[in-house]
Amino acid sequence: MSGSIKGADHTGDGTRAVRAGLPEPVKHEPTLPGPVFAAHFHLPGEVTGPYSYGRDDNPTWTNLERAIGELEAPGREDVATLVFASGMAAISAVLFSQLRAGDAVVLPSDGYQVLPLVRAQLEAYGVEVRTAPTGGDAQLEVLDGARLLWIESPSNPGLDVCDIRRLVEAAHARGALVAVDNTLATPLGQRPLELGADFSVASGTKQLTGHGDVLLGYVAGRDDEAMAAVRRWRKIVGAISGPMEAWLAHRSIATLQLRVDRQNATALAVAEALRQRPEVSGLRYPGLPDDPSHKVASQQMRRYGCVVSFTLPTRARAERFLQALHLVEDATSFGGVRSTAERRRRWGGDAVSEGFIRMSVGAEDPEDLVADVLRALDESAE
């Protein structure tokens, strides 16, 4: 693979993130070439070579896809990666390219809030949709006869975790493909393809790019035929990333390890502070030793993520808490360098209580962020 890291099997996460996807150096050329803005390319005679039309491929995508592939499957030459306009474009590409009328798919009942809309569309196309919670082996109970198992671990927003290896082995034994939504973990926290999954899918909008200014998604997969179908779907629907977004994403990946390590460590500090507060219930963070998912998470995750979830007694208390925060923006999404939090029930798509808070921990100083959270809890108690 051109531009891959030499000796990648022995490269640390920071080095890999900084070097991933860079082309071979050319004298007087930038280390990371700028975005290629082109709807078409010079193409005399027969159609040969990688680039012909902007909906099919772009050199800027190629560099980014190589970078993501090196993070998702270091040292592997048999993994293909495709970037998309958004995380939902990537999710849709896998589901709608792999399923047809009469097939069955298993989706998490506690996953991303747009999945119910996806379910309705799949059912309209004649696909049977079964759901089960992420935790434990619940998905195994509805797996028989399914064409595809969709795993979201950790789940969003409840942060439940399932044993991906176990579910993959069971699914493959039943002839089902497995896709894992790796958005919350990132490739530095978890590598689904190494755990046996057929697809690793993620929203690059979140922590992968980390600055809240890029919409992006990707699919990485091991099977040539399955990935060819995903690529064909991207071509048909035109769900492509713009070259500027792809370039920004590649640039941002260079700091991924720095951001992830800082945000993970601070998320643990915030979670530890929250569990000392009597008004906080339902606290979840897989990195906490007493979290229900910690044992399983520790067996398959190298980092636990930057998202903490918890519940305050009432909607009013949760809203006062959010208004009292100084360093945390009341905004949706997660994974950015600036901390955000929101009352998830306001969207109506998650089965959570009115006081449920999803907090995404940013790159602020841990002491400052913890102090801000505790102060806001005190001020919202009135």
Side-chain angles (χ1 to χ4, degrees):
M1 178 184 293
S2 175
S4 62
I5 302 169
K6 298 176 181 178
D9 290 343
H10 308 289
T11 302
D13 285 341
T15 303
R16 183 174 293 112
V18 168
R19 304 296 307 176
L22 298 182
E24 293 297 328
V26 177
K27 189 175 183 179
H28 304 309
E29 293 293 327
T31 303
L32 177 61
V36 175
F37 298 101
H40 60 266
F41 301 81
H42 289 296
L43 197 67
E46 296 297 321
V47 178
T48 59
Y51 306 112
S52 59
Y53 187 64
R55 191 181 67 251
D56 297 329
D57 261 312
N58 179 292
T60 310
W61 302 352
T62 300
N63 290 333
L64 175 59
E65 288 168 347
R66 287 173 177 164
I68 294 171
E70 288 166 16
L71 298 179
E72 284 280 353
R76 294 279 298 269
E77 298 291 332
D78 60 341
V79 169
T81 305
L82 298 169
V83 295
F84 289 81
S86 68
M88 279 309 305
I91 289 171
S92 299
V94 173
L95 290 170
F96 291 101
S97 70
Q98 303 303 310
L99 297 168
R100 58 184 182 272
D103 286 341
V105 60
V106 177
L107 299 180
S109 59
D110 54 347
Y112 182 45
Q113 63 159 343
V114 181
L115 287 181
L117 296 178
V118 174
R119 174 179 185 166
Q121 192 62 56
L122 287 168
E123 290 176 338
Y125 288 158
V127 176
E128 177 190 353
V129 179
R130 308 168 188 168
T131 61
T134 297
D137 292 334
Q139 290 168 309
L140 291 180
E141 298 175 7
V142 295
L143 187 56
D144 284 351
R147 163 69 177 162
L148 176 68
L149 168 62
W150 190 274
I151 294 172
E152 193 175 290
S153 180
S155 62
N156 174 27
L159 303 183
D160 239 340
V161 171
C162 61
D163 187 332
I164 294 175
R165 286 189 189 90
R166 176 173 166 79
L167 289 174
V168 166
E169 290 173 1
H172 285 170
R174 292 165 168 82
L177 296 169
V178 180
V180 176
D181 187 327
N182 205 36
T183 303
L184 268 161
T186 82
L188 298 195
Q190 180 172 267
R191 295 184 183 135
L193 300 180
E194 291 185 355
L195 298 172
D198 301 287
F199 303 99
S200 181
V201 188
S203 169
T205 308
K206 312 300 193 295
Q207 197 168 20
L208 187 82
T209 55
H211 292 79
D213 54 7
V214 172
L215 285 174
L216 191 90
Y218 71 84
V219 179
R222 301 181 299 156
D223 183 86
D224 289 343
E225 184 177 350
M227 287 301 292
V230 175
R231 179 183 291 274
R232 186 165 57 250
W233 179 265
R234 183 178 71 175
K235 178 182 176 74
I236 291 170
V237 302
I240 59 172
S241 171
M244 191 66 196
E245 287 80 5
W247 185 86
L248 285 169
H250 198 169
R251 181 204 63 175
S252 298
I253 285 175
T255 61
L256 179 61
Q257 185 258 348
L258 298 172
R259 292 184 281 106
V260 164
D261 281 353
R262 174 61 171 261
Q263 291 170 259
N264 279 222
T266 306
L268 179 59
V270 169
E272 289 174 336
L274 286 170
R275 71 175 175 179
Q276 306 301 320
R277 300 290 300 216
E279 68 269 51
V280 170
S281 63
L283 175 66
R284 296 300 302 270
Y285 182 67
L288 285 171
D290 57 352
D291 186 272
S293 294
H294 182 73
K295 181 178 179 180
V296 174
S298 298
Q299 294 168 355
Q300 62 193 24
M301 300 183 73
R302 296 178 299 130
R303 294 172 175 87
Y304 299 106
C306 64
V307 177
V308 178
S309 67
F310 58 97
T311 300
L312 293 176
T314 63
R315 170 178 176 168
R317 177 70 188 276
E319 290 177 345
R320 290 198 303 270
F321 167 73
L322 292 170
Q323 292 169 3
L325 290 164
H326 294 163
L327 299 179
V328 183
E329 300 172 4
D330 191 342
T332 194
S333 197
F334 57 85
V337 291
R338 291 174 291 278
S339 293
T340 61
E342 69 171 338
R343 193 181 64 83
R344 285 296 294 177
R345 188 65 180 273
R346 67 180 178 174
W347 297 100
D350 296 309
V352 295
S353 65
E354 291 285 1
F356 180 94
I357 301 289
R358 185 185 70 183
M359 180 175 179
S360 170
V361 174
E364 298 89 356
D365 285 303
E367 298 82 2
D368 291 340
L369 191 58
V370 169
D372 190 46
V373 169
L374 295 180
R375 180 197 51 74
L377 284 173
D378 288 341
E379 292 185 6
S380 64
E382 60 192 34

